[in-house]
Amino acid sequence: MLQSLSIKQFAIIEELEIQFTDGLTVLSGETGAGKSIIIDSIGQLIGIRASSDFVRHGAKKAIIEGVFDIDNANEAIEVLKTLGIDVNEDFLIVKREIFSSGKSICRINNQTITLQDLRRVMQELLDIHGQHETQSLLKQKYHVELLDKYADGIYEQHLDQYKRLFNAHQEKISELKELESADQALLQRLDLLRFQYDELKESKLKEGEIEQLEIDIKRIQNSENLSLSLNAAYVTLTDEHAIPDRLYELSSQLQTINHIVPEKFQQLKEEVDQFYYLLEDAKHQIYEEINQTEFDENYLNELESRMNLLNNLKRKYGKDISELIHYQAKISEEINKIENFEESTSNLRDEIKELNTQLKLEGEKLSKERRKVARTLRDHIVNEIQYLQMKDANLEISFKPYESPQKDGLERIEFLISPNKGEPLKSLNKIASGGELSRIMLALKSIFVRSRGQTAILFDEVDSGVSGQAAQKMAEKMKEIAKVIQVICISHLPQVASMSNHHLYISKQELNDRTITSVQTLHDDARVEEVARMISGAKVTELTKQNAKEMIEQNQKL
């Protein structure tokens, strides 16, 4: 939900602060007062491309800042986490600065992000719908997604299985194309791969070998110092003052004491004995090490040559030893595949054929389930459209087979509508009437508002071209949507304004030869006055005030 909006130096707005709440909020005012500019400013927060024209004349930059409640915006929170943005609080601060040069900076919770990432986050929070704006709901390519979301998991298992088979099928097709297009280049690559494989195989690479070589080389290079230290350590443990012998004597003395003073020194004797055995063990280890320590120049040369070989291979291939071992196995597989080209392509064709069979079988199951849900969705949409005073409207969900399986299924799914009796079914984006389009979009949004997971929706004069009973029904539908998510609407219709939970009046005035936009929350008489103006136009009479009051009271009861 959008909680607050701050606008500075944006178009004709010098500075404006607006507080929003949940439910249905209507913005009204005279033409040119800045209502749509407010929507444009919010558009900047969801990632609509900026322009230097947005910066108020004479200002260096425009600043728009919005505070959003994200308490239940789970999908948006997941996107924020993937971007590494702190979401410890239940609100989000989104800020956009637009400079007179046309460049802009986007920030979320004071963290600078790209315009693309801003869009990723905000599409999960807020949707702006303008009457003439291109909408995803109108585009055929999104209709299958809307149907699947409406299904709410009914055929999720079939959909997941179809996608898995489709991806596997595409991978095999790509693999086959790669093999078939190789030709002479493939043979040249085979020579290179064989050379690399023989070189790596001859090297007999082993995991951790370089680390062990470093230890062995260091040992031999320092064999003289090592030998001296080992011998000195052995003498310390074996001469006439040897520590183990003294510990043995001490243990015997403590044993005698224990006979006289039972248990008092028993623990001390056990600790002394433990040290004695530790030193005895150390003495044997040092002795064995002395016998193994000698300077062998030939062996050192062998180790250093081996180290040079491995380091040269690392530099040549740009990989460490572990990666080279993996690469050797990989090129072995590729060599085998190229050498058995005909067999490989034949096997791939068989795999593709089998996957295609499975894909079609699973696709048919998916289509069958989709058609069941589509019948329910079709009836739901028609009911919503007819409720909005399009009594003769009809809608069908079209299923047309693709020539070959596609990533979304075996059939092209599209919503087709006939707004009036006798008219043929046609694509949603072919609707000419603005009023009809507005009502259809409102009907669709009322159905898909839950499945799309957003927390706020903005309508920018979607009620243009609508009046009378249709306007009343549209107002009721907006109020219904507002029970689920926050709705902010710019409207010229008194029916919509009187239905709102909150009414904001946008006005402008001239100050020092500049236009200033302001916003006022309307209550009681002020609200009646504005609804009356919307009913009658410029001239407001006592009769229109009475009509406005009755309309507000009646719609608030609804």
Side-chain angles (χ1 to χ4, degrees):
M1 183 183 89
L2 176 61
Q3 291 183 330
S4 65
L5 177 68
S6 170
I7 308 170
K8 295 179 181 177
Q9 307 299 336
F10 186 82
I12 65 169
I13 298 176
E14 182 179 29
E15 186 168 352
L16 199 61
E17 294 276 347
I18 308 176
Q19 301 299 317
F20 293 98
T21 57
D22 55 4
L24 173 60
T25 298
V26 166
L27 282 66
S28 70
E30 294 181 0
T31 301
K35 302 184 298 298
S36 291
I37 293 174
I38 293 172
I39 299 297
D40 289 340
S41 70
I42 298 175
Q44 295 301 300
L45 295 182
I46 68 171
I48 293 176
R49 190 165 295 279
S51 166
S52 59
D53 294 336
F54 288 144
V55 181
R56 184 174 166 85
H57 179 67
K60 293 182 179 179
K61 65 179 179 178
I63 303 173
I64 305 99
E65 184 173 278
V67 178
F68 293 83
D69 182 347
I70 57 168
D71 187 26
N72 296 313
N74 296 328
E75 293 183 10
I77 290 172
E78 286 303 313
V79 176
L80 288 165
K81 287 180 178 178
T82 62
L83 297 176
I85 297 175
D86 181 24
V87 287
N88 293 329
E89 303 292 342
D90 291 336
F91 61 87
L92 206 66
I93 300 175
V94 182
K95 188 175 183 179
R96 188 92 180 264
E97 295 177 79
I98 306 166
F99 297 88
S100 55
S101 63
K103 295 181 179 180
S104 69
I105 297 176
C106 313
R107 291 187 178 90
I108 293 183
N109 285 359
N110 208 31
Q111 182 172 327
T112 303
I113 61 170
T114 65
L115 186 62
Q116 183 178 358
D117 288 339
L118 176 66
R119 290 169 181 162
R120 283 181 60 195
V121 174
M122 298 308 294
Q123 71 179 0
E124 304 298 342
L125 284 177
L126 188 146
D127 179 29
I128 297 181
H129 170 56
Q131 182 186 352
H132 303 293
E133 185 182 355
T134 301
Q135 292 290 310
S136 62
L137 291 177
L138 296 179
K139 297 178 181 178
Q140 177 273 326
K141 65 179 181 179
Y142 293 111
H143 291 176
V144 63
E145 180 183 334
L146 293 173
L147 177 61
D148 290 343
K149 285 185 177 181
Y150 185 81
D152 196 23
I154 290 176
Y155 47 76
E156 184 177 10
Q157 184 177 352
H158 291 301
L159 182 59
D160 290 344
Q161 177 68 356
Y162 179 86
K163 288 180 178 178
R164 186 189 66 78
L165 288 169
F166 180 81
N167 290 334
H169 185 252
Q170 293 301 111
E171 286 174 7
K172 291 299 178 183
I173 289 175
S174 297
E175 197 173 337
L176 178 61
K177 287 180 179 177
E178 186 179 340
L179 275 179
E180 290 177 336
S181 63
D183 200 17
Q184 185 61 35
L186 200 64
L187 296 176
Q188 293 175 353
R189 178 162 176 76
L190 180 60
D191 290 338
L192 173 63
L193 292 175
R194 280 175 176 162
F195 173 81
Q196 291 180 338
Y197 179 76
D198 291 341
E199 183 177 45
L200 294 174
K201 184 180 180 182
E202 186 179 344
S203 301
K204 298 178 181 178
L205 303 175
K206 292 181 289 187
E207 292 279 3
E209 185 179 5
I210 282 187
E211 292 78 5
Q212 187 59 48
L213 281 172
E214 289 173 344
I215 294 171
D216 292 342
I217 290 172
K218 184 177 180 181
R219 177 192 176 92
I220 295 175
Q221 289 176 336
N222 294 276
S223 58
E224 184 176 352
N225 289 336
L226 178 61
S227 180
L228 289 172
S229 298
L230 286 170
N231 281 292
Y234 188 74
V235 168
T236 301
L237 295 173
T238 57
D239 65 5
E240 58 181 335
H241 301 297
I243 297 173
D245 294 342
R246 303 301 299 273
L247 286 174
Y248 184 80
E249 292 175 9
L250 176 58
S251 177
S252 298
Q253 293 162 356
L254 290 172
Q255 181 66 27
T256 301
I257 294 170
N258 279 334
H259 286 310
I260 301 170
V261 188
E263 299 183 0
K264 189 170 184 179
F265 291 93
Q266 181 62 32
Q267 184 178 350
L268 178 59
K269 180 184 182 306
E270 291 174 357
E271 292 173 352
V272 169
D273 288 344
Q274 186 177 3
F275 281 121
Y276 170 76
Y277 291 121
L278 284 172
L279 291 176
E280 280 293 307
D281 184 55
K283 181 169 66 177
H284 292 300
Q285 288 184 44
I286 291 170
Y287 181 75
E288 291 177 2
E289 196 71 23
I290 289 172
N291 292 331
Q292 295 177 13
T293 302
E294 60 178 331
F295 179 75
D296 187 335
E297 186 174 358
N298 291 331
Y299 184 47
L300 176 61
N301 290 336
E302 289 177 13
L303 293 177
E304 289 178 337
S305 296
R306 179 66 177 173
M307 178 69 84
N308 289 334
L309 172 65
L310 297 180
N311 284 331
N312 286 335
L313 287 173
K314 286 172 61 179
R315 283 192 295 270
K316 181 177 181 179
Y317 289 93
K319 304 176 187 293
D320 60 30
I321 298 301
S322 178
E323 291 172 331
L324 283 174
I325 293 171
H326 177 72
Y327 181 63
Q328 182 182 344
K330 183 180 178 181
I331 61 177
S332 176
E333 291 177 7
E334 191 172 350
I335 289 170
N336 182 63
K337 194 176 290 184
I338 297 173
E339 288 178 338
N340 299 279
F341 179 80
E342 290 299 329
E343 183 181 353
S344 297
T345 53
S346 177
N347 290 339
L348 274 173
R349 289 190 186 95
D350 290 341
E351 289 181 52
I352 290 169
K353 186 177 180 181
E354 176 60 26
L355 281 170
N356 190 57
T357 300
Q358 295 179 32
L359 186 61
K360 287 183 176 179
L361 287 172
E362 196 61 42
E364 288 168 1
K365 294 177 185 177
L366 176 60
S367 291
K368 184 178 179 180
E369 295 299 319
R370 275 175 169 168
R371 286 172 183 270
K372 291 179 184 177
V373 174
R375 286 193 288 271
T376 303
L377 176 57
R378 180 263 173 198
D379 292 342
H380 194 168
I381 295 174
V382 169
N383 288 337
E384 292 292 334
I385 294 173
Q386 291 182 350
Y387 176 83
L388 294 172
Q389 297 300 294
M390 294 177 67
K391 300 294 185 182
D392 296 322
N394 186 32
L395 180 136
E396 295 295 340
I397 299 179
S398 166
F399 287 75
K400 289 185 179 180
Y402 288 122
E403 291 184 3
S404 61
Q406 301 297 313
K407 63 180 179 180
D408 57 7
L410 301 181
E411 296 171 309
R412 181 180 187 270
I413 296 173
E414 183 177 13
F415 299 169
L416 302 176
I417 191 165
S418 169
N420 302 292
K421 186 178 292 186
E423 292 186 18
L425 291 164
K426 53 189 176 183
S427 300
L428 294 181
N429 56 13
K430 298 291 178 63
I431 299 170
S433 166
E436 289 174 348
L437 178 60
S438 295
R439 282 177 280 175
I440 291 167
M441 292 302 299
L442 187 58
L444 291 174
K445 286 179 184 289
S446 70
I447 293 172
F448 295 113
V449 66
R450 288 180 177 85
S451 62
R452 299 187 81 187
Q454 294 162 327
T455 62
I457 185 169
L458 277 68
F459 292 108
D460 184 8
E461 299 188 8
V462 294
D463 48 25
S464 296
V466 181
S467 60
Q469 188 66 18
Q472 177 65 24
K473 294 298 183 181
M474 286 189 73
E476 292 173 7
K477 189 55 62 179
M478 288 185 192
K479 188 65 172 286
E480 183 182 321
I481 296 174
K483 294 177 182 177
V484 181
I485 65 173
Q486 179 190 41
V487 175
I488 301 171
C489 175
I490 288 181
S491 179
H492 295 290
L493 292 178
Q495 293 92 334
V496 176
S498 61
M499 187 72 73
S500 66
N501 301 102
H502 318 282
H503 192 157
L504 302 178
Y505 180 70
I506 312 301
S507 60
K508 66 177 180 179
Q509 57 183 331
E510 289 188 6
L511 183 64
N512 299 326
D513 295 326
R514 296 298 300 270
T515 301
I516 304 295
T517 297
S518 61
V519 60
Q520 175 188 359
T521 302
L522 301 182
H523 299 287
D524 304 329
D525 292 343
R527 185 178 187 185
V528 171
E529 185 82 19
E530 173 60 7
V531 173
R533 184 193 66 79
M534 297 172 79
I535 292 173
S536 64
K539 188 175 181 180
V540 176
T541 66
E542 288 301 319
L543 181 58
T544 53
K545 286 184 182 180
Q546 184 61 35
N547 289 339
K549 185 176 182 181
E550 290 176 0
M551 183 181 288
I552 292 170
E553 290 174 351
Q554 184 178 1
N555 281 336
Q556 290 304 309
K557 287 178 183 178
L558 289 177

